[in-house]
Amino acid sequence: MYDNSRLAWWSTRYRRSRYVLTGLTLLCGLAIGLDRLFPPELSRAQHYSSLVLDAQGQLLRGFTTNDDSWRLPLRPTAVDPLYLTMLTAYEDQRFAWHPGVDPLAVLRAIGQWIRYGRIVSGASTLTMQVARLLEPHPRTIVGKMREMLRALQLEWHFDKDTLLSWYLALAPYGGNLEGLRSASLAYLGKEPLRLTPAEAALLVSLPQAPSRLRPDRFPARARLARDKVLKRMGRLEILTPQQITEAQQESLPHHRRSLPFHAPHLARRLHKARPAQRLHNTFIDGPLQRTLETLALQHPLPPYSSLAILIAENRTRQVIAYLGSVDFFATPRAGQIDMVQAIRSPGSTLKPLVYGMGFEELIIHPETLIDDVPTRFGDYTPSNFRNVYHGTLSVREALQQSLNIPAIAVLERLGPGRVAARLRRNDIQLHWHDNQAKPGLPMVLGGVGVTLEGLVSMYLAIANHGEAARLRFSATDKVGPSKSLLSPAASWYLTRILRDAPPPANAIPSDNLNRPRRIAHKTGTSYGFRDAWALGFDQSYTVGVWVGRPDGSPNPGYFGRNAAAPLLFRIFELLPDSGVQTPSGLPEGVLLASHSELPARLRYFRARSTSQQSTPLKIDFPVAGSQVELKSRAGRLDDLPLVASGGRRPLRWLVNGKPLHSSPLRRSTSWRPDGEGLARITVMDNVGRVSSVEIWINPADGI
């Protein structure tokens, strides 16, 4: 027979355990339901400052969050281990094992509160602090209970490293600084990967009362707080007495530094293109970028002038240095304008492309003879720099000396529209005035607009055997398909012509073995000395330099060879010589021959002069510099006849900058002066040519 008492005992135990299990099940269900109904608020942990990083992962420039805070993400692996040890020892000694709330700390805090009638020490864990940082709330009993529940919830969902990362990113450090990395950069001027005991103690103490302990405003309070942490570390035997003594003698930072601010124009460009992207990984060589920024500040420039530098690696087309202006904060120099993207006149930097297309079309060869003499191309009469002409010379010499007449002669044969289309097909945009349907012959002398970025793309294509593709500024820029800007043979000719061009004085770069470094380069100067250019490449890199005034004002006496080229060669001295050798063998189509060995049709190139089609625009009356006497009738001077010859109608007349109402199809008109004095008379024709005279108006004697 069964023992009824034992059976009753087991029955009671079973019922009680079932009640307990049911209660636990209900409690777990309630917890899961509440967790789903009230998930943790993680938006602050997901909205960091947008950061632009260099190729080594170092910060170039950051942008504050929408609430104007510096909030930089940080993993524990990127922090000095000493800091982490001191942080957990000071804030939460049992962080590694408690479930979000430390029961021993809670019991201790309650006991002290009962004994002393006031709060002596808190019981906040790092997880509870993270909960408060994620969801700020008043420091009340209700708020503390909510904080504890949130801490348990966070520990349920996330591991310790994630929670510690959030603390490292969100902890307040005074002002708009949030997180350890922001504070370390702002107060110490360095990343938190290597910290002294004094620096670590300071950074541990600041979140206790960030507004009252800022070392840049309250150094005495900050020192006391730091030393308090150091003494605690001594009692816990984390630091030796000698380390504590040395740390207490270490000075505190007395001002807040600016966060890193390098390649600011590129950073702004990337951030503007993708404002929601948190990390922008660029290919910028950080040390090189900082060196160039220093070099630009030291480079002698005329007042109100600036410069821009762009460097790309030939093989990958990755931009490794980007300088949009000499100084981002220099208002007189318009430093915030990105001159890498600014549309400027290219001067003669497009000439290599024109000659390259001529090589492709087999209308010229580097040894072809071409005339450099005054020539009129239809209505256009160009001239050389300083009006110096060289007679008959080779195409090689004409390009190396950047002569204007030979380049225009070749362009006239090719057609400006074809050259512009070739660039456009390779994603290099030219810009010209809205009144022009298409670019004309002046394009090869700077009569169009282009950017430094576009020119670097063009010269990089020549360096890459004629293959063009978009430059890559960040890791998100996809490797685009290559297109043919020029044939390999034409690029081969251009490279050797430009490589043999004489460098500017005192600008001969060399490699580490003191051998001359082979650089193919071309300079350019726009009309009125507004833009000075230097473009160059070797086997590994392509460099572009622009010097000028952002407002477009002239810089008389500053041109490509004396203002931009010396800087170009100085930059190549800073670049490593990769040792890449020129591929053996010649590209298909290359003809190595002297002038006498060329086929007859390639020995001479004759320009197609069409001067009979139009005569120069000229004001025939009045004569420049004359004094004209006019009679006065009823207190008003008589009309003055104005007569012009040449040019292409319709004509437009202006006096002292004000247009006259006249028939545009007639070559004569009249103007009634409103009094005596100096007058400047100007006439413009349909293709933009201008003729001006200055005269003096006098009333006739005795009137």
Side-chain angles (χ1 to χ4, degrees), residues 199 221 277-278 351 361 371 433 464 505 622:
E199 292 170 342
R221 296 178 187 173
Q277 186 169 318
R278 186 168 60 84
K351 288 178 181 176
E361 298 287 330
D371 292 329
H433 199 277
N464 277 346

Side-chain angles (χ1 to χ4, degrees), residues 343-347 350 430-432 439-440 442-450:
I343 299 172
R344 308 292 295 198
S345 168
L350 296 179
L430 296 182
H431 304 264
W432 52 86
M443 70 175 289
V444 77
L445 305 185
V448 291
V450 72

Side-chain angles (χ1 to χ4, degrees), residues 305-383:
S305 296
S306 188
L307 61 84
I309 300 170
L310 191 66
I311 305 177
E313 189 182 58
N314 294 343
R315 182 179 59 84
T316 62
R317 297 182 175 88
Q318 295 173 354
V319 172
I320 64 170
Y322 190 117
L323 192 70
S325 70
V326 67
D327 183 355
F328 189 85
F329 297 105
T331 301
R333 300 181 187 273
Q336 296 193 26
I337 297 178
D338 184 0
M339 300 309 299
V340 170
Q341 298 186 84
I343 299 172
R344 308 292 295 198
S345 168
S348 59
T349 56
L350 296 179
K351 288 178 181 176
L353 176 64
V354 172
Y355 283 110
M357 292 181 64
F359 296 147
E360 280 187 351
E361 298 287 330
L362 298 179
I363 61 176
I364 56 172
H365 181 275
E367 303 306 325
T368 298
L369 296 182
I370 193 168
D371 292 329
D372 178 41
V373 296
T375 307
R376 182 179 300 132
F377 300 88
D379 298 327
Y380 181 46
T381 308
S383 61

Side-chain angles (χ1 to χ4, degrees), residues 48-52 63-64 66 265-283 470-479:
Y48 295 115
S49 296
S50 179
L51 305 181
V52 182
F63 296 86
T64 57
N66 292 335
H265 299 88
L266 173 61
R268 182 178 61 186
R269 174 177 179 171
L270 297 177
H271 179 63
K272 184 177 180 180
R274 299 182 179 90
Q277 186 169 318
R278 186 168 60 84
L279 288 180
H280 300 270
N281 294 289
T282 73
F283 307 109
R470 290 181 181 273
L471 298 178
R472 298 184 64 208
F473 296 95
S474 72
T476 55
D477 292 338
K478 297 181 180 179
V479 179

